[in-house]
Every structure is written in structure tokens, then in C-alpha cells.
Amino acid sequence: MASEMQRYDTNEDDEEMGMDVKEEDEDDEEKNAAMHAIAGFDGVHGSSRSNRFQHHQQYQEQPTPGGSRRCRPLEEKERTKLRERQRRAITAKILAGLRRHGNYNLRVRADINDVIAALAREAGWVVLPDGTTFPSSSQPQGTGTAGGTPTTMVTSSSSHIPTQHTPPGSLKGVPSGFQNTDDQSACQMKSVFVPTSSPYDSSSTARSQTSAMVADGLDTQNDPFLVGSVDSIDKQVVDMHTKLQERDFAGTPYIPVYVMLPLGVINMKSELVDADGLVKQLRVLKSINVDGVMVDCWWGIVEANAPQDYNWNGYKRLFQVVREHKLKIKVVMSFHECGGNIGDDVCIPLPHWVSEIGRSNPDIYFTDTAGRRNPECLSWGIDKERVLRGRTAVEVYFDYMRSFRVEFDEFFEDGIISMVEVGLGPCGELRYPSNPVKHGWRYPGVGEFQCYDQYLLKNLRKAAEARGHSFWARGPDNAGSYNSRPQETGFFCDGGDYDGYYGRFFLNWYSQVLIDHADRVLSLAKLAFDGTCIAAKLSGIHWWYKTASHAAELTAGFYNPSNRDGYVVIAAMLKKHGVALNFKCAEMRMLEEAVDFCEALGDPEGLAWQVLNAAWDVSLPVCSENALLCHDRGGYNCLLEKAKPLNDPDGKHIFAFTYLRLSPLLMDGQNYMEFEQFVKRMHGEAVLEFQS
């Protein structure tokens, strides 16, 4: 009996060992096959791999002199099983890390095929359901390419792969361990959230990337991510697009679509520019059921000459034209200057009388550590200082908003003005002007703290004294300059001063000034626009998001290092006033802002989901707008995916979308047709497919 049990155990071990080895061989075979498809190995490599596998099989099945199958020693079988357990444990940890830190939406029982497919998609390749893998710019073998060999080309379109809703727990960045070139190269494989399957693959958005580059005047011939002509890319993308099924948005929630009017629709004399041309464009927008338009009401135009001397004439004429076309209006109270930022095509400074005060008292502006002033907007240090001809900055903002509400009362009563967005900082966004191009900042620099005017320094001294450490009444002296990288500074580097006692005190004070400013202005906006939807815009500072310090966010006023959620407190403040959140970064994709995106360790997708979930967790309405020009199907699909997340269990979606921006290019032929389809899908209407 004992001998039979021993034989049974031995046979069971042999069978288990055989299964383990077989599984290892199968995994090796899958890996080799995937690498063969990705790297394009030739027949010689394939044959050598096959020979090695055959040799391995022969070794396994080699008969013993007695005619029976050779059995490995018991110790070797135990080592094999131990290696298999270790391999499975390591695989489980890798999958868990990819899900948690890399935002890979891998299924529960993911295997090596799922991981390879996700990595291939992230690298810009197309992975069909049957496993066929090829570059997004080429055709699969046997579909029209010469000799059945696909043309290999690497593009940056992998950054556009649409995302799905992920739980809040997977959104925070992790400390950076990248110290060398190899590590920086490796980070590209985990810097974007790639779903295991998508209604349409990255190829449908490659043309969006190309169109954006051409529109911005970038050199596509010398771009290392674009090999070949733009025409060939467009042709290949169109061919591939017809093979991939798009998501049907019929029956999805209705999301109103607004279109931004040109920045200079009202000139410095408060006159409507080109009324006839605007009328024609509004007719076209109305014909495709656009819900309304967005217009900036510039402080520098309306109150340009003297305090409380408001000139709304141009805006009255504009609003009348919009009302005649039965469109709604989203108004922006723009308390910042226009010009000098990306996308600005006009120059609208702050009011002339404010500039006169600034010449004698430059501390009304934000100031960096070198004493350079930024006249883009007023420092929050004078929110309660009567330095503006007897008024505080907050009183100036309130008087302006109250004048607008009284002047356009009929438009509010009729519901023509459906939303008011209140400007809270540079570009109308709630943030410090930490990355001004005029002062030499270039992406992806960490920026600089903007708290060195006398009013904010006084506020800092009070906070330090209240804490009992008056010597903390200073800004960091080791935070680098505008274009520094985190690891080059003593403050932002891993384990740097940002996480010490002083660093925590300073960053908490710095971010609280931002929140207090928004709290004061929005409380008065609620009084001025009672009964009207109010919104505040939050910028997406996504570079260095995958480092421990989140340096670029810290200088912008978002206290959001890897061990702290800095957007929850902002969402709570907005919720207190019943203010909607307008998040501008929601649709950004990898490599759209800079070629060296991986080097910047950024994650716009992770940032977007963190901000959106912080808002949705407190039931805060969220609206959005595109940050980059978009005129093609792929770009619109990305916007739709963000607006209406696929299979979200709670049915979350944004409640309004604003398109950037009205122009003759938008009304041109194919661009117009694509935009019309986009509006219908935002409205949840059925759309008949047409050939691009």
C-alpha cells in the first residue's frame, strides 16, 4: 500500500511538473510570438526559436535505456514547482502594479497576452481581436501592402487611446525612481491608461495628432515621431478607420454643446467686430443644433478708463445677435489680460487705471523670487487691501459682476444667459501664474512660487508667527528656477524639503491662499448671480505628475504630492457655493504638448480622473472644454469618451461641453461634417455612418 501511494505521489508530481513546464513553454511561446509580431523578426530568427523549442521537447521526452520515460530527480521537480509559484507570485504583483500605478485596465484573470496587447497599443500599434498586431500607420499583412509586408512607422498616436472610468484609488502618482536614461525610457510604457479593448483603436486618432501639429505650424518632416508624409498618414488612418467599429452614442445622456467665440469679437472700443460674418456663422451653428456660444467679457475693455465706468455697448449688440438666433450664452467674467499665452491672437491688457496704479505700486501683481512682476492678473494678496482707488480687489470684482447682472437683466430673466464662469486667476483659471512664458518658462519646467509681493509676504509672516516659527516667514531657497527639473532641486527631489516640517507648512499656506481667494470671490458671485449656474475653471498641470512631489502642481498652488489629495479640498469649497467645475485638461493625450513627454513624467489621464472623481464624489457638476484644436473624427471620439465614460456604473457624465473655437476652419467642408456628427453624439442622437 505504501509503495502504491508512493507511486501515486510520484505520478502526481510528474503530472504537475509536466503541467508547470508545459505552461512555462506555452508562456515562452506566447512571448516569443508576440515579440516576433512586434519586432518583425525574420524567418531565420523564427526557425532558430522553433529549433530551440524542439530541442527542449526532445530533452523532455528522451527515453531512458530501459525504454521508459526519463524522470527528473525529486529535488529538481520541487525546484520547478517552486520556480512556478514564484513566477505566478511575481506576475500577480506586476499585474497589480500595472493596475494601481500605471492605470492599465487589465481584467482580473489577465494573462501575458493581455499585458503584451496593452503594451503594444501604448507603443502606437494596433491589436485586433484575433491577436494580429501591426503599426498603426501600416496595414496588416495581406491587406494591400506590397509583398504582404507592412510598412513600419512609429507614431505618437498611442497617446490618444480613449480611456475608461477608473476607481479613485488608482489615480495618484508614485515616487519617481528614474535616475538614468533607461529608466526614463521605460516610463513611457506606464505613463498612459490603456484599456484592454476599445471601440476604436489609436489609429483613428492619429490624424488628430497630425492635424494639430500642422495647425500649430510644427515641423512634421523632422519630427522623430512622424516618419513619412502627412498625406500618407491620413490615407492610412482613413483606411484603418473603416475597419474599426466606433462606439454608438445613441440614447446616451444629452450634453449641451457651446462654441467659444473669437477672443477679439469685441474690440478695445467695446464694439462688435464683423457683425455680418458672425451672423452667418451663428446661422450655421444653429442649423446643426449647437446649444449656445461662450464669450469672454473682458475687464480690460468694459472698465478700461476709470473705476466703475462700465461700457457694455459691444456686448449688448453681441447678445442681441445671439438671442435672435435662439442660442444660449455662457459668459466668462475675465479679470485677466489676454495676450502672451498659447492660443492668444489678440492683446487685451488689464484696465488702464489699474496699470497706472501698478506703475507706482507693482506689488499689486504676482511676484517671483527674483522680483519679476507678472501683470497678467492681480495678486491675491490685495483681495482685502484698499489699494485700488479706495477699493479692495474683491470689491472691484463684485462691482463689475453686479453691473453686468443689472445691465443684462432681461437676458438672465429669459434664460439666454445660462451660465457664468468667474475668472479666478491667469487665463481665468484657479491657479498661480507659476509658468509664465514671458519670464522664460518652457515646458516641462517646474515653475516658480509666486508669493513675493509685499502683501503675500505679510500674510506669510502672520501665518509663521501664528505657528510659533517666525523664521519660516520666507519662501523656499532651494526650489530651483522656472525650467528646473524636480531632481535638480533640493526642495522637489525625492525626499526633499517639500515633505519636511517647513515644506509642509509653506505648501499648506500657499495652497490655502488660493482656496481662500476662490472662496471670497465665489461667495460674492453667488450673490450677484443668484439663480444662475456659476462655474469655476481649474487647470490641468499634468507634467511631473508621476513624481513624488508633483512639483509643477505645487508651484501652481495645488498641494497634491503623492501622499496627499490636493483636489478634494478644492471640490469641497466649490460644493459649498454650489459652483460647477470646468476642467480643461480632461481630453489631453500623451505627447500632444511635447515630444519629450515621457521625460516629463506626466500623466494627464491620471490627473483628469483624480480631479473628476474628487468632484463627482461630492456630487459636483462638471463641465469641460477641449484644450487643443480638434477638427477630425478621432479627436472628437476622445472628447466623447471623456464626456460619457463607457459602462460607468453610476452613469456619470459631464453636464456641458464648450468647443474651442469658432473659426472659418471649423466651417470648412469635412471639418463641418465631423463637427455636426460630434454635436449629435453629444446630444445622444443616432448618427448614420458616412465615409471619411
Side-chain angles (χ1 to χ4, degrees), residues 291-302:
D291 296 270
V293 296
M294 192 201 83
V295 58
D296 291 272
C297 290
W298 295 101
W299 181 33
I301 292 178
V302 176

Side-chain angles (χ1 to χ4, degrees), residues 29-72:
E29 186 71 10
E30 291 172 355
K31 294 177 183 177
N32 291 330
M35 292 302 298
H36 177 73
I38 294 176
F41 287 165
D42 56 22
V44 176
H45 291 79
S47 61
S48 63
R49 175 183 54 79
S50 178
N51 292 336
R52 288 195 302 270
F53 182 71
Q54 292 174 1
H55 177 74
H56 183 66
Q57 282 185 324
Q58 292 173 1
Y59 175 78
Q60 292 281 346
E61 299 175 359
Q62 181 179 357
T64 62
S68 61
R69 183 184 177 200
R70 187 183 67 178
C71 295
R72 293 184 176 183

Side-chain angles (χ1 to χ4, degrees), residues 26-32 34 87 91 94-95 106-107 109-119:
E26 290 177 351
D27 289 345
D28 292 339
E29 186 71 10
E30 291 172 355
K31 294 177 183 177
N32 291 330
R87 186 181 71 84
T91 301
I94 291 175
L95 295 176
L106 298 172
R107 58 191 178 91
R109 297 186 178 274
D111 57 18
I112 191 65
N113 295 329
D114 298 317
V115 177
I116 292 177
L119 296 177

